[in-house]
């Protein structure tokens, strides 16, 4: 923008076609800055020259050709897919870990000579590890960054599987579950929060992400059942160790120990959640009612999920008189979990995710009553698969709903906390079932699960509605 001085002088002219009684104005243009404008009086004014202004955030892109922008977009989408697949590999390991417990629990009881209550100590130690990891993650994610915390969690898992694969004394074996719990909690909290930050097809990506967990939990019992009949049953944890090592390598190569904001910027997403300290984030998370309601809901949901996948094999063996192949029932449950998280995406979108969760929960309770009162081995196995299909979409729906109702500035930390508390449920609820079964028998599995599902549905009713897909600021 430039300003030039304009000076006017009086000039008298005549026009035959248009006679004028007085003076007229004539502007003479010259290359010099001053320009004389003829008026009856000498007046000095400023002439303003305007130039177009380009917004700051668009100047770089306007200077680039469409082909360059298209190539940049393709590169970002490819990088996003690689990051997503890497996180899916971790969640596959998480499912593999949880799916191993069911077939191995009877063998662990036999090898160490312990009952339901004592063997459930592995869940208690895992629970303590999950809570420790969830609380630590809120601060570690700010101090170390996303990439370093993910690798730290994966190294904890590698250490835990190294210990478990040696078949150590029971106290050491249980302590390894504590270390593993910390590692899973750190990775779960950050990976779920990272996927929740993705923009395009967010609901579908979250559904696929959670379905991969089901795939890991589906395939693991197929292997664990075979190892449970071998003398060296503990070698099953070498399979877990192999997956954990590849997970560590993939995390280092793909994310390169970078903070979350840098990793998101590589795929074209600006992370605005970096303006406050970890202490401010922690206070805001603790003050948000919906965070605690969703955390309590997730604790019960994950607890039911892992309880059914873990204790259902013992239930089929002790209550229904199943044989050595009963471990495959656990695979059926987790297989249903995987299918439900993908196959029901269209129905969730059609009727609304909030209403869908109510419907799935009520149907799951009805089918649990059928398993409780239907003394059929084959029938129970089939219905357990159906229950897995119904429970599958619940966790992705919860995460998507959290993205709608929680402020953006605390979204990642909140989802991390919710996921960590949920992992604590995966240990707390199975331990509670094992402690009750120690005196009342494994037949208590179904009534306990029905009660927890009822409480979980009530908590979901207390969570506020999300009227828009956009997150509040």
């Amino acid at each position: 923008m430039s300003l030039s001085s304009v000076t006017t002088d009086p000039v008298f002219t005549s026009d035959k076609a248009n006679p004028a009684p007085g003076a007229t104005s004539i502007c003479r243009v010259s290359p010099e800055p001053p320009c004389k404008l003829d008026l009856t009086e000498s007046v000095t004014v400023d002439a303003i020259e305007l130039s177009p202004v380009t917004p700051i955030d668009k100047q770089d892109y306007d200077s680039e050709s469409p082909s360059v922008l298209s190539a940049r977009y393709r590169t970002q989408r490819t990088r996003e897919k690689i990051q997503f697949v890497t996180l899916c590999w971790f969640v596959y390991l998480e499912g593999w870990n949880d799916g191993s417990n069911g077939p191995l629990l009877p063998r662990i009881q036999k090898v160490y000579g312990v009952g339901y209550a004592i063997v459930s100590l592995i869940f208690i130690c895992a629970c303590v590890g999950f809570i420790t990891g969830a609380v630590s993650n809120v601060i570690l994610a700010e101090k170390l960054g996303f990439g370093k915390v993910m690798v730290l969690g994966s190294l904890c898992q590698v250490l835990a599987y190294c210990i478990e694969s040696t078949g150590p004394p029971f106290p050491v074996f249980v302590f390894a579950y504590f270390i593993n719990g910390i590692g899973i909690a750190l990775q779960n909290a950050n990976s779920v929060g990272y996927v929740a930050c993705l923009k395009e097809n967010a609901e579908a990506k979250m559904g696929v992400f959670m379905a991969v967990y089901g795939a890991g939990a589906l395939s693991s019992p197929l292997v664990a059942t075979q190892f449970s009949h071998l003398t060296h049953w503990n070698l099953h944890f070498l399979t877990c160790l192999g997956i954990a090592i590849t997970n560590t390598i993939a995390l280092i190569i793909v994310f390169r120990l970078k903070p979350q904001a840098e990793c998101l910027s590589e795929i074209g997403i600006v992370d605005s959640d970096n303006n406050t300290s970890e202490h401010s984030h922690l206070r805001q998370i603790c003050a948000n009612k919906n965070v605690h309601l969703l955390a309590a809901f997730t604790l019960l949901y994950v607890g039911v999920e892992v309880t059914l996948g873990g204790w259902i094999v013992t239930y089929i063996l002790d209550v229904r008189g199943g044989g050595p192949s009963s471990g495959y029932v656990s695979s059926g449950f987790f297989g249903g979990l995987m299918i439900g998280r993908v196959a029901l995406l269209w129905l969730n979108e059609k009727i609304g995710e909030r209403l869908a969760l109510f419907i799935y929960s009520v149907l799951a309770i009805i089918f649990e009553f059928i398993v409780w009162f239907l003394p059929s081995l084959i029938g129970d196995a089939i219905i357990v698969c159906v229950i897995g299909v119904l429970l599958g979409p619940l966790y992705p729906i919860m995460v998507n709903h959290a993205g709608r109702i929680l402020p953006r500035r605390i979204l990642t930390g909140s989802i991390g906390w919710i996921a960590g508390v949920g992992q604590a449920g995966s240990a707390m609820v199975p331990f509670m079932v094992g402690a009750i079964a120690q005196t009342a028998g494994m037949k208590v599995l179904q009534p306990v699960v029905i009660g927890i599902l009822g409480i979980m549905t009530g908590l979901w009713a207390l969570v506020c509605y999300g009227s828009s897909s956009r997150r509040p600021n």
Side-chain angles (χ1 to χ4, degrees):
M1 179 181 296
S2 62
L3 299 178
S4 59
S5 177
V6 178
T7 306
T8 61
D9 294 331
V11 176
F12 297 94
T13 62
S14 62
D15 194 337
K16 297 179 180 180
N18 297 292
T24 60
S25 299
I26 299 176
C27 179
R28 301 183 180 89
V29 180
S30 66
E32 300 298 329
C35 177
K36 295 195 174 183
L37 185 65
D38 296 339
L39 296 173
T40 58
E41 298 180 358
S42 290
V43 181
T44 301
V45 298
D46 288 333
I48 301 175
E49 178 184 353
L50 300 178
S51 60
V53 179
T54 304
I56 295 176
D57 58 347
K58 293 184 179 180
Q59 288 178 356
D60 295 336
Y61 295 101
D62 289 345
S63 63
E64 296 178 353
S65 64
S67 60
V68 174
L69 293 176
S70 177
R72 174 185 294 175
Y73 179 80
R74 289 194 301 269
T75 301
Q76 291 174 345
R77 297 288 73 79
T78 301
R79 190 169 295 161
E80 178 181 329
K81 291 177 182 178
I82 295 174
Q83 292 181 356
F84 183 71
V85 170
T86 303
L87 296 177
C88 284
W89 185 238
F90 153 70
V91 85
Y92 180 88
L93 171 60
E94 183 181 0
W96 182 280
N97 178 84
D98 292 347
S100 301
N101 293 327
L104 292 179
L105 276 177
R107 184 57 189 271
I108 293 173
Q109 288 180 266
K110 182 179 179 181
V111 171
Y112 291 108
V114 295
Y116 294 131
I118 301 300
V119 77
S120 296
L121 287 176
I122 64 176
F123 297 116
I124 284 293
C125 287
C127 175
V128 176
F130 291 141
I131 295 176
T132 303
V135 174
S136 303
N137 176 72
V138 178
I139 297 177
L140 288 177
E142 294 287 339
K143 291 187 176 296
L144 300 181
F146 169 80
K148 293 180 181 178
V149 173
M150 288 292 290
V151 173
L152 177 62
S154 66
L155 291 176
C156 288
Q157 284 195 281
V158 170
L159 176 60
Y161 293 135
C162 286
I163 297 174
E164 292 171 344
S165 63
T166 62
F170 189 71
V172 180
F173 183 78
V174 168
F175 181 73
Y177 273 79
F178 167 75
I179 300 174
N180 196 21
I182 295 176
I184 292 178
L186 291 176
Q187 294 176 92
N188 183 273
N190 285 277
S191 61
V192 173
Y194 195 92
V195 175
C197 291
L198 302 181
K199 303 298 183 183
E200 296 182 3
N201 301 319
E203 288 79 6
K205 288 176 182 175
M206 186 60 68
V208 172
F209 181 71
M210 297 301 173
V212 175
Y213 170 89
L218 163 67
S219 54
S220 176
L222 301 177
V223 178
T225 300
Q226 301 299 320
F227 276 100
S228 65
H229 302 306
L230 301 178
T231 303
H232 299 289
W233 59 275
N234 50 291
L235 295 182
H236 169 73
F237 294 103
L238 290 179
T239 63
C240 304
L241 177 61
I243 300 176
I245 292 175
T246 59
N247 176 54
T248 303
I249 296 173
L251 291 173
I252 294 175
I253 293 176
V254 174
F255 295 105
R256 292 164 289 177
L257 308 178
K258 292 183 177 181
Q260 177 170 296
E262 292 187 27
C263 295
L264 288 174
S265 66
E266 292 178 353
I267 59 176
I269 298 176
V270 178
D271 185 12
S272 60
D273 187 22
N274 54 8
N275 298 322
T276 54
S277 66
E278 66 269 15
H279 301 292
S280 177
H281 277 165
L282 187 58
R283 285 195 300 269
Q284 294 177 41
I285 291 172
C286 293
N288 193 299
K289 179 191 71 172
N290 287 308
V291 170
H292 301 301
L293 288 174
L294 291 172
F297 170 87
T298 308
L299 183 144
L300 297 179
Y301 167 76
V302 177
V304 167
E305 174 188 288
V306 177
T307 297
L308 281 175
W311 285 118
I312 193 62
V313 177
T314 306
Y315 177 85
I316 295 295
L317 287 171
D318 296 351
V319 180
R320 297 295 184 236
S325 299
S326 298
Y328 297 121
V329 177
S330 180
S331 286
F333 170 76
F334 285 114
L337 202 77
M338 176 187 67
I339 294 173
R341 288 177 173 175
V342 176
L344 296 179
L345 282 173
W346 68 273
L347 183 59
N348 301 340
E349 182 178 357
K350 186 173 184 179
I351 68 177
E353 290 187 329
R354 183 178 175 86
L355 176 60
L357 191 143
F358 282 116
I359 295 175
Y360 298 150
S361 299
V362 172
L363 289 176
I365 291 174
I366 293 173
F367 280 111
E368 280 293 335
F369 272 108
I370 297 176
V371 174
W372 187 3
F373 294 107
L374 179 64
S376 170
L377 176 61
I378 299 178
D380 287 354
I382 295 175
I383 295 175
V384 165
C385 297
V386 176
I387 293 173
V389 174
L390 295 172
L391 293 181
L394 269 58
Y395 195 95
I397 288 176
M398 181 279 301
V399 176
N400 292 333
H401 193 68
R404 299 186 185 99
I405 66 175
L406 296 180
R408 186 185 292 109
R409 62 183 177 273
I410 62 170
L411 178 64
T412 302
S414 297
I415 290 181
W417 170 252
I418 292 168
V421 173
Q423 288 301 313
S426 70
M428 188 181 302
V429 178
F431 172 78
M432 181 179 66
V433 171
I436 298 174
Q438 183 66 36
T439 57
M442 190 48 64
K443 61 181 180 292
V444 303
L445 175 63
Q446 303 309 323
V448 170
V449 168
I450 290 172
I452 294 176
L453 286 174
I455 298 173
M456 182 187 76
T457 307
L459 287 172
W460 183 251
L462 298 177
V463 178
C464 75
Y465 287 83
S467 58
S468 171
S469 60
R470 298 182 63 183
R471 302 180 182 112
N473 292 324

